[in-house]
Amino acid sequence: MNDQIRNPFIFMENPYTSKNRLIGAMAANWKEGRKALFSGKISAHFKSMDRSMFQPAVTAENAFRIAPKDGDVIFWKWAYTQGKIPDFFWQGRNYGNTDKVIGLLHDGTEEGFNRLLIMLVSRKLFSVYCKSARLPKSVIENVKYVEKYFNKENSGFKKSKTRTLLYMVLSQERKLSFDSRTFDDVRLFSAYLQGFADISKKKLHNKIQPLFLDEYNLEPGLEGWLLNLGFQHELSLWNDKFQAGFDGLQEEEDGDKDPLSVLKCPTRTLPLQRSDLRTDFRK
């Protein structure tokens, strides 16, 4: 999208010739920005010169007329869809740039931010912020994955898991700490677990318990690590099959099959065995 405004838009007595600067200023000055959008000033100004700004503004105005209580969400969605905004604004507060957001995700003690995060994920809008902040495409796609499975019916994605998983995705962490070791390669991690499987199945079961929140959900550190290594397809297969539970799944044959390979696809294998997960670790 061309960033230039041919005829400057006056916002809070300042002329703007850059769309991104204008929208960023509107987000930073929340109350005044909302008023400029919902009063029709944006659509009126851009009607004859820029349809890419005009039509979304009209859509936002109409949405606000229908659901005025959702005004903040409508404004936020318009701003982060239309502009490239590096900082995370909400209702007049600036939570900071992406590094600050990652810090908030990691810390997890800012209750206001945590509630806002879950609201945006439930509306599949956190990925909109990531795109506006110009994060890598792989990060954006992984955030969309989190949004998808958080909103899936009967999803086991809990709020705390979602926050930790988004921290892993946005930080692009490619190392996994497990059993006082650090892994940066799935094959090495699989080989390490295979060593316990060679001793006994019980030994393997005991060792992998920390990798699961319950019999359906992978621990978010592991899931985020696998996402960052490019295993979104395999994890999608995992969640599509397991989020609803184990009923109706075809029994695996016992034997000497590699206990770390399942959900095979033409290019990769998720390094976890379905039969190893059937044990109820909550007991």
Side-chain angles (χ1 to χ4, degrees):
M1 180 177 73
N2 184 4
D3 184 50
Q4 295 301 305
I5 303 174
R6 294 200 308 271
N7 182 17
F9 184 90
I10 308 300
F11 176 66
M12 297 183 67
E13 301 182 356
N14 294 310
Y16 287 87
T17 58
S18 162
K19 298 173 191 175
N20 288 327
R21 288 175 182 262
L22 168 62
I23 295 170
M26 291 173 67
N29 298 277
W30 193 270
K31 183 178 179 180
E32 295 82 359
R34 274 189 45 150
K35 184 176 180 180
L37 176 63
F38 296 142
S39 67
K41 290 182 178 179
I42 294 292
S43 60
H45 185 84
F46 289 96
K47 182 176 182 180
S48 60
M49 75 171 80
D50 191 336
R51 301 292 294 185
S52 69
M53 282 287 283
F54 166 71
Q55 193 56 59
V58 171
T59 300
E61 292 170 27
N62 292 336
F64 179 66
R65 278 193 286 270
I66 294 170
K69 290 183 178 181
D70 286 339
D72 285 328
V73 174
I74 296 167
F75 175 64
W76 191 95
K77 181 179 180 180
W78 172 82
Y80 282 94
T81 300
Q82 289 301 112
K84 299 300 181 184
I85 308 175
D87 286 359
F88 192 103
F89 294 101
W90 178 259
Q91 293 181 339
R93 177 171 178 179
N94 184 1
Y95 286 96
N97 60 19
T98 305
D99 288 340
K100 296 289 188 181
V101 170
I102 292 172
L104 288 168
L105 290 169
H106 182 260
D107 183 61
T109 60
E110 175 60 67
E111 289 302 322
F113 176 80
N114 291 341
R115 288 191 297 271
L116 173 59
L117 175 71
I118 294 303
M119 184 275 290
L120 292 174
V121 171
S122 69
R123 293 173 181 250
K124 298 185 178 181
L125 291 177
F126 192 71
S127 56
V128 173
Y129 156 73
C130 294
K131 185 175 181 180
S132 180
R134 304 187 185 190
L135 296 184
K137 184 178 179 180
S138 59
V139 172
I140 297 169
E141 291 304 312
N142 285 339
V143 170
K144 289 181 178 179
Y145 161 94
V146 176
E147 292 175 334
K148 174 183 176 181
Y149 288 105
F150 178 87
N151 288 287
K152 189 179 172 117
E153 186 177 1
N154 299 322
S155 172
F157 271 49
K158 306 301 182 184
K159 293 179 181 179
S160 59
K161 172 177 177 174
T162 299
R163 178 180 54 75
T164 304
L165 194 51
L166 287 173
Y167 162 73
M168 290 291 295
V169 168
L170 264 65
S171 64
Q172 303 179 65
E173 179 59 62
R174 299 178 68 87
K175 293 184 182 296
L176 176 70
S177 296
F178 175 73
D179 202 27
S180 300
R181 297 170 181 262
T182 300
F183 298 91
D184 58 8
D185 185 279
V186 166
R187 290 170 298 180
L188 295 177
F189 180 59
S190 296
Y192 182 69
L193 295 183
Q194 177 66 56
F196 296 104
D198 291 342
I199 297 172
S200 72
K201 199 168 186 178
K202 181 179 180 180
K203 183 74 172 177
L204 176 63
H205 282 175
N206 291 337
K207 184 59 65 173
I208 66 176
Q209 286 191 48
L211 299 177
F212 304 91
L213 299 181
D214 53 44
E215 68 267 36
Y216 307 142
N217 277 280
L218 296 176
E219 191 276 326
L222 171 64
E223 192 162 355
W225 179 63
L226 291 171
L227 282 172
N228 293 338
L229 293 182
F231 285 84
Q232 185 183 126
H233 173 71
E234 291 78 6
L235 289 166
S236 293
L237 291 175
W238 171 275
N239 280 295
D240 287 340
K241 287 183 177 293
F242 290 105
Q243 280 293 326
F246 291 94
D247 293 342
L249 292 176
Q250 206 170 21
E251 292 290 331
E252 295 287 339
E253 294 181 3
D254 293 329
D256 296 328
K257 185 187 294 185
D258 177 2
L260 307 177
S261 63
V262 75
L263 302 180
K264 292 184 177 179
C265 73
T267 57
R268 297 192 186 99
T269 301
L270 184 67
L272 296 166
Q273 171 76 5
R274 179 185 304 165
S275 59
D276 290 331
L277 306 176
R278 198 166 283 121
T279 299
D280 188 346
F281 295 131
R282 295 174 299 181
K283 292 180 180 179

